[in-house]
Amino acid sequence: MTQETCVARKPWDLAFTAEPTEVAGLRRVMRLHLGIWGLHDLIDDAQLCVSELVSNVITHLGPGTPATLSVSMNGVHLRIEVHDPDTRALPSLLDVNPDSEAGRGMALVDAVAARWGVQLCLDRKVTWCELATGLTSPNGHVEGPGVQRAQDLLEFYGRAKPPLRLASGQVGRAVAEESVIEVITDFLHWLRAHGCDVDEVLDRAQTRYEAGLDGYDDGLFRCSRT
C-alpha cells in the first residue's frame, strides 16, 4: 500500500514596517518558508508578489507604514496577503505600456498569480494574491517523474529482503554505476519535493558512508575506473 508523505504547511504571518530596506528581508523569509514547504518552483513568483505588494504600500501610504505579511494555503493555492491600516487607497490594475515608469506593480502580480484582490475590513485593508502550486492536496507534495520513481524505489527497498546483485564485468559495472547515479538523482528530487535540505542530507550520508568504510568488506562490489 502506498502511503503518501504529507508536508505540514501551517499559516504564518510577519509584522513589518513598510520600508524599501525591508523588501529584501521579506523576500528571504519567503524563500526560506517555501523551501521548507517543498514549493521551490514558486519561490521566484512569490518573491515578486511580495516585492510588488509591499512596494505598493510604500508608494501609496508612505514609508514607515506598519504592515503584516501573511502566507497560507488556500486549498492547493499559495495565498500571500499584505495587511495595511489604510482602507482608502485601493490597489488597481492600470493599463500600462512598456515605457511606463509607474503602475507596473499590480500588473506584474496579475501576470504571475492565478487570482488577486482586495478585502476591506473595519481597521485594515488586505491585498492578496494566490499562486497555483500544482499540488493535488494542501499537504501533498509536487509530483514529478523523478519524485515518483524515488517513491517507488523507496517502497521496493523497504520490501526487498535479499541484496540486489549487480552484473559482472566492466560493462556491467559501468551500466550499474549509471543506474546508481540515476537512482541517487531521483532521491534528491524526492527530498527536494518534500522540503528537505538536500545539502544537509548529502553531508549526513557522506559522514555515514565514511564511518562505515572501516568495517566495509572488500569482497563486496567495488567500482572500477580501469
Side-chain angles (χ1 to χ4, degrees):
M1 178 182 296
T2 300
Q3 182 177 6
E4 181 181 0
T5 303
C6 293
V7 181
R9 300 184 176 99
K10 297 181 180 180
W12 58 273
D13 55 69
L14 177 65
F16 66 95
T17 301
E19 301 278 0
T21 54
E22 291 291 310
V23 175
L26 294 171
R27 288 171 60 90
R28 286 194 296 271
V29 170
M30 178 62 73
R31 173 179 289 276
L32 173 64
H33 277 275
L34 292 190
I36 294 172
W37 283 6
L39 300 178
H40 304 269
D41 292 342
L42 291 184
I43 289 175
D44 289 343
D45 287 347
Q47 286 184 319
L48 182 149
C49 290
V50 168
S51 295
E52 298 306 327
L53 293 180
V54 174
S55 296
N56 198 67
V57 174
I58 297 172
T59 299
H60 295 286
L61 303 183
T65 300
T68 301
L69 171 66
S70 296
V71 180
S72 61
M73 294 296 298
N74 183 19
V76 294
H77 284 78
L78 176 72
R79 184 178 179 92
I80 301 170
E81 300 177 354
V82 170
H83 301 228
D84 69 65
D86 195 329
T87 60
R88 298 168 299 171
L90 301 181
S92 60
L93 182 61
L94 303 178
D95 184 14
V96 297
N97 60 61
D99 298 325
S100 298
E101 293 295 331
R104 293 173 177 267
M106 298 314 298
L108 290 172
V109 172
D110 184 69
V112 302
R115 48 185 176 259
W116 68 275
V118 181
Q119 179 182 359
L120 295 179
C121 305
L122 290 177
D123 59 346
R124 69 186 187 281
K125 173 174 79 270
V126 180
T127 308
W128 59 269
C129 65
E130 294 184 352
L131 303 176
T133 63
L135 298 170
T136 57
S137 67
N139 293 323
H141 58 79
V142 178
E143 292 289 354
V147 176
Q148 187 56 54
R149 286 195 298 268
Q151 184 71 39
D152 294 340
L153 285 167
L154 281 171
E155 293 172 7
F156 174 77
Y157 187 77
R159 295 192 303 266
K161 297 290 184 181
L164 298 177
R165 297 193 178 277
L166 299 171
S168 60
Q170 185 173 349
V171 174
R173 288 196 297 270
V175 171
E177 183 176 336
E178 287 302 315
S179 298
V180 170
I181 292 172
E182 289 184 8
V183 169
I184 293 173
T185 302
D186 285 343
F187 278 131
L188 294 179
H189 282 299
W190 186 91
L191 289 166
R192 185 173 185 266
H194 287 76
C196 300
D197 186 328
V198 173
D199 290 333
E200 180 185 355
V201 172
L202 287 173
D203 288 342
R204 287 165 54 196
Q206 180 70 20
T207 300
R208 189 171 300 179
Y209 164 74
E210 291 173 353
L213 285 180
D214 292 339
Y216 186 71
D217 183 358
D218 265 348
L220 296 178
F221 175 80
R222 177 189 298 168
C223 291
S224 174
R225 295 293 182 181
T226 59

